[in-house]
Amino acid sequence: MKILVCIKQVPDMESKFKLNGEGNWYDGTDLAWRMNEYDEYAVEQAVQLKDQLGDADLTVLSIGPERVKEMMKKALAMGCDRGAHIADDDFFKKDPFEIASVVAEFAKDKGFDLIFTGMQSQDRGSGQVGVLVAEMLGLPSITTIVDFAFDNGQITAKRELEGGMKAIVKTRTPALMTCQLGLNTPRYPTLPNIMKAKKKELLSIPVSELLKVEAKQETAKMYFPEKKGGGLVLEGSVGDLVDQLIKILKDKTAVLA
Amino acid sequence: MKTLLVAEYRDGKVLNSTYELVAFAEKLGADSAMFLVGSDSTLPAYTGTLYLADVGKYSEFNPAVHKQLLLDVIAREQPDMVVFAHSSYGWDLAPRISLALNAAHISEVVDIVDGVPIVPVCNAKLRRAVKAKTAQMVLSLQGGAFGLENEPSGSPTVIPIDTDTAAQVEFCGYEEAEAGGVDLSKAGVIVSAGRGIGKPENLAMVEALAKALKGEYGASRPVVDSNWADHGRQVGTTGQTVSPKLYVACGISGAIQHLAGMKKSEFIVAINTDKDAPIGEVADVLVVTDLKEFVPALTEKLKNL
Ligand SMILES: Cc1cc2nc3c(=O)[nH]c(=O)nc-3n(C[C@H](O)[C@H](O)[C@H](O)COP(=O)(O)OP(=O)(O)OC[C@H]3O[C@@H](n4cnc5c(N)ncnc54)[C@H](O)[C@@H]3O)c2cc1C
Ligand SMILES: Cc1cc2nc3c(=O)[nH]c(=O)nc-3n(C[C@H](O)[C@H](O)[C@H](O)COP(=O)(O)OP(=O)(O)OC[C@H]3O[C@@H](n4cnc5c(N)ncnc54)[C@H](O)[C@@H]3O)c2cc1C
């Protein structure tokens, strides 16, 4: 069984964001980077499947600059067997269609039985890349899965719907799954596994070898939303804040009456 | 400008998100037609042409088949825009359509300014104006972004459609959301815990504050996913929708999917260490502080009032 997992590196969402010089993206300096949360579930599901089968070969792929290798090492320490780093310093200028084309071009003649992606990224979150990869490769795909079971080529997954309802869906490999939050409990890499991961294969491939299409959309501009509503922002010592808030609750709501 | 609106149907009903698509077309001043895999016994309240495929034959979830049905209608209608709700149905189907059409797909659209779609970036801390480089466009709209001005009305002119495409996946039915012990929608005060509580033991302080305010405690999704709280406590698109007199968000960033479940609350207080957290956009009061100190201090003071 050959499995591919696609992971994206995203900034910590609690960062203080600034715009870049061109005003079309955020400035990448001074940001802390991490694995897209949704992709942690994708990696974990792939590793669990490998544990279940006993025998599987697990490739983790990421498109991005040199820094994404740190995150890929985490995926290797979680249990992936090899890494394919698609080196691209301009990755953020690519639209989901280009990103998906690069993944599909990489995957097309490698015979993956299963591909796992996140359902969306935390920074842009278009939720397109997984489905596009599947369509480009002519594979069935199931999106937003919160439960996954595999038995002899048969996949039974639960898709999460609005309100917490789930749809039970079956298909057969080869197939692609996009993973939703809560699918499993992603493991923390152990120290011995972090050491082992250092020896695993981590190939770099220039993106120019795999990119054969052009973007279908571009950023016109990026900006900070206007603060609407004019809510009050309180700062200061805890004691003062407590008193201020209680006064506001007394004045503006009936809950303390 | 001509739009094709992709209506949504689940569990025997046309979903309300369908009417947000109609509101969007009206806002643009665009002509519209509608596509639905549904039933002629439960038609949407809509004036215009409705291309209707029978859900009994094609199932509520069947991507490869719905894709072909929709592509056939697009070939007939030649719309400038194909519009979906950015929902579990829309984000599944829209990329399949955009690829087949070779058209740009812009997702999570929250606004249109001078004809250019606006999308959120980085947990809605930033916005991005996106230009399509293709003549035809596929859009998926963030829920609640295009509200209804009027109660939906009208009855459509139905054109039945069919296909003989083979399915790739088998839909085996629904599983209801886990029934929770509490109906949060009835609570007058809700104090919710987010990932910012840091560890499960800290849920107790949020619960204590809820009690001091004679309310219930709620939670954001990561708190539920980590099994720190039951799903019955979750507020948001995949949990409950609430509108209490007072909603207190403790250590919750304010992701779109959480806001969708609580932004209609009468008064909103957010407690967050990050002054720029997007919850600030809906909060009446944002208290910038560490909840681990502030919440117990507030609870004590309230008890002694
Ligand atoms: C500031 C800013 C500026 C941008 N400018 C542009 C622009 O000019 N034009 C434009 O079209 N787009 C632009 N983007 C969007 C951007 O680069 C997208 O992140 C990219 O197109 C992938 O889409 P997504 O993150 O929405 O993927 P989604 O479809 O939300 O991701 C789903 C899954 O796909 C996989 N995946 C996504 N990206 C990667 C990756 N790099 N490597 C491996 N797997 C991956 C992961 O499994 C992920 O969970 C910009 C984004 C930002 C934040
Ligand atoms: C299809 C879909 C459906 C979803 N449905 C839901 C849903 O129903 N409900 C839901 O909640 N989410 C839902 N989500 C997830 C949502 O996108 C966010 O991931 C989630 O809401 C984030 O939860 P959070 O705010 O608790 O955590 P985070 O985003 O991690 O935010 C934590 C916050 O705590 C603050 N903080 C940290 N430490 C402290 C401290 N000591 N004191 C005070 N503040 C602190 C931080 O500044 C930050 O703002 C859904 C996502 C998808 C894709």
Side-chain angles (χ1 to χ4, degrees):
Chain A
M1 174 97 148
K2 285 183 77 178
I3 305 171
L4 177 68
V5 190
C6 300
I7 65 175
K8 178 179 181 179
Q9 197 182 38
V10 296
D12 189 319
M13 293 307 138
E14 283 164 42
S15 309
K16 181 123 191 104
F17 291 100
K18 285 179 291 206
L19 296 181
N20 68 5
E22 295 93 70
N24 57 11
W25 198 239
Y26 52 83
D27 181 13
T29 47
D30 301 333
L31 291 177
W33 300 90
R34 47 165 298 169
M35 192 189 302
N36 179 35
E37 200 181 342
Y38 298 79
D39 302 348
E40 291 186 12
Y41 294 97
V43 172
E44 177 63 32
Q45 200 58 52
V47 175
Q48 285 188 11
L49 181 58
K50 181 182 159 128
D51 290 347
Q52 178 193 331
L53 297 172
D55 175 34
D57 188 75
L58 232 157
T59 303
V60 59
L61 173 152
S62 186
I63 305 164
E66 196 59 25
R67 60 169 156 72
V68 309
K69 282 186 174 167
E70 270 317 302
M71 163 196 70
M72 297 185 73
K73 283 182 191 146
K74 179 179 177 189
L76 293 172
M78 285 171 78
C80 294
D81 297 303
R82 65 194 75 249
H85 167 224
I86 317 293
D88 184 7
D89 287 336
D90 270 344
F91 77 104
F92 66 82
K93 292 186 190 143
K94 298 200 166 52
D95 72 355
F97 169 67
E98 286 176 291
I99 297 283
S101 304
V102 170
V103 176
E105 187 64 27
F106 172 85
K108 71 175 186 202
D109 44 20
K110 296 199 173 56
F112 291 109
D113 301 286
L114 254 170
I115 303 177
F116 291 98
T117 74
M119 78 138 296
Q120 64 172 21
S121 65
Q122 282 175 280
D123 58 351
R124 172 53 197 99
S126 54
Q128 298 179 23
V129 171
V131 186
L132 288 175
V133 169
E135 292 286 301
M136 287 168 181
L137 296 172
L139 302 179
S141 57
I142 304 180
T143 53
T144 340
I145 65 165
V146 287
D147 194 71
F148 176 86
F150 179 82
D151 183 27
N152 200 14
Q154 166 93 49
I155 295 161
T156 307
K158 291 182 189 165
R159 297 189 72 222
E160 187 184 47
L161 312 174
E162 288 68 25
M165 194 173 173
K166 292 166 194 151
I168 301 159
V169 182
K170 286 189 198 300
T171 193
R172 296 194 69 81
T173 53
L176 183 145
M177 304 287 126
T178 83
C179 303
Q180 165 67 319
L181 305 172
L183 169 62
N184 48 43
T185 309
R187 69 193 67 193
Y188 291 103
T190 60
L191 196 58
N193 285 341
I194 293 172
M195 301 312 290
K196 258 195 253 165
K198 293 199 168 129
K199 299 202 191 77
K200 289 181 179 172
E201 175 186 309
L202 180 48
L203 277 184
S204 265
I205 307 164
V207 71
S208 54
E209 284 182 18
L210 298 169
L211 183 63
K212 299 183 173 158
V213 299
E214 275 179 33
K216 290 181 184 165
Q217 50 184 281
E218 61 191 354
T219 303
K221 70 167 182 183
M222 186 128 151
Y223 58 95
F224 289 96
E226 276 173 45
K227 290 251 185 285
K228 38 175 194 241
L232 203 58
V233 178
L234 303 180
E235 287 174 281
S237 73
V238 167
D240 289 348
L241 290 172
V242 166
D243 292 338
Q244 286 182 55
L245 183 61
I246 288 182
K247 184 171 182 324
I248 292 170
L249 292 180
K250 279 184 175 155
D251 292 349
K252 300 269 168 77
T253 75
V255 299
L256 296 182
Chain B
M1 172 84 72
K2 198 164 168 188
T3 59
L4 180 65
L5 313 177
V6 182
E8 261 188 286
Y9 190 87
R10 180 168 320 136
D11 226 9
K13 285 192 278 295
V14 175
L15 299 189
N16 275 333
S17 59
T18 303
Y19 302 111
E20 296 188 14
L21 308 180
V22 178
F24 170 81
E26 276 172 10
K27 182 174 173 176
L28 278 189
D31 293 336
S32 72
M34 194 180 274
F35 167 90
L36 172 70
V37 182
S39 156
D40 56 13
S41 61
T42 44
L43 291 174
Y46 171 70
T47 309
T49 305
L50 175 72
Y51 291 92
L52 181 69
D54 180 13
V55 70
K57 214 158 142 192
Y58 301 114
S59 155
E60 292 188 6
F61 181 74
N62 194 349
V65 173
H66 288 204
K67 170 178 129 184
Q68 195 52 52
L69 287 163
L70 182 49
L71 286 175
D72 292 345
V73 172
I74 292 168
R76 244 163 108 167
E77 279 282 318
Q78 294 292 333
D80 303 292
M81 277 184 192
V82 184
V83 191
F84 295 81
H86 194 65
S87 62
S88 57
Y89 183 69
W91 65 60
D92 189 278
L93 193 53
R96 304 176 199 267
I97 297 298
S98 70
L99 187 69
L101 294 177
N102 212 7
H105 170 202
I106 303 175
S107 36
E108 274 202 306
V109 175
V110 292
D111 202 359
I112 291 248
V113 177
D114 302 328
V116 180
I118 310 292
V119 303
V121 180
C122 291
N123 202 9
K125 280 190 167 183
L126 289 154
R127 297 278 187 282
R128 191 161 72 98
V130 190
K131 274 212 167 107
K133 297 167 89 172
T134 57
Q136 215 169 24
M137 242 196 275
V138 174
L139 298 184
S140 44
L141 311 182
Q142 189 64 56
F146 298 91
L148 283 179
E149 301 273 311
N150 311 307
E151 197 50 30
S153 63
S155 54
T157 312
V158 176
I159 302 181
I161 49 173
D162 278 295
T163 185
D164 51 16
T165 307
Q168 282 187 321
V169 301
E170 184 197 346
F171 169 58
C172 313
Y174 294 113
E175 189 178 289
E176 292 299 326
E178 292 155 47
V182 280
D183 183 358
L184 290 178
S185 66
K186 295 212 171 69
V189 176
I190 296 172
V191 184
S192 283
R195 179 147 45 194
I197 65 169
K199 51 180 182 189
E201 295 77 30
N202 288 339
L203 187 65
M205 61 174 76
V206 172
E207 239 184 298
L209 177 58
K211 219 169 169 183
L213 286 164
K214 299 185 190 62
E216 285 290 348
Y217 77 93
S220 72
R221 175 166 189 146
V223 172
V224 172
D225 283 343
S226 311
N227 293 319
W228 301 352
D230 294 339
H231 182 262
R233 299 276 172 183
Q234 185 177 315
V235 175
T237 46
T238 47
Q240 298 191 47
T241 302
V242 300
S243 49
K245 291 196 178 65
L246 172 65
Y247 188 89
V248 185
C250 309
I252 294 177
S253 63
I256 286 170
Q257 297 87 359
H258 188 82
L259 298 187
M262 47 63 76
K263 66 181 173 200
K264 296 215 175 88
S265 304
E266 278 174 40
F267 200 81
I268 299 172
V269 174
I271 301 159
N272 203 302
T273 40
D274 180 3
K275 198 177 169 176
D276 297 324
I279 189 88
E281 277 192 55
V282 300
D284 296 282
V285 183
L286 171 64
V287 188
V288 184
T289 185
D290 186 337
L291 72 93
K292 294 195 283 295
E293 291 165 29
F294 180 79
V295 169
L298 177 62
T299 308
E300 266 321 293
K301 197 91 187 205
L302 286 170
K303 279 189 194 159
N304 297 325
L305 275 187

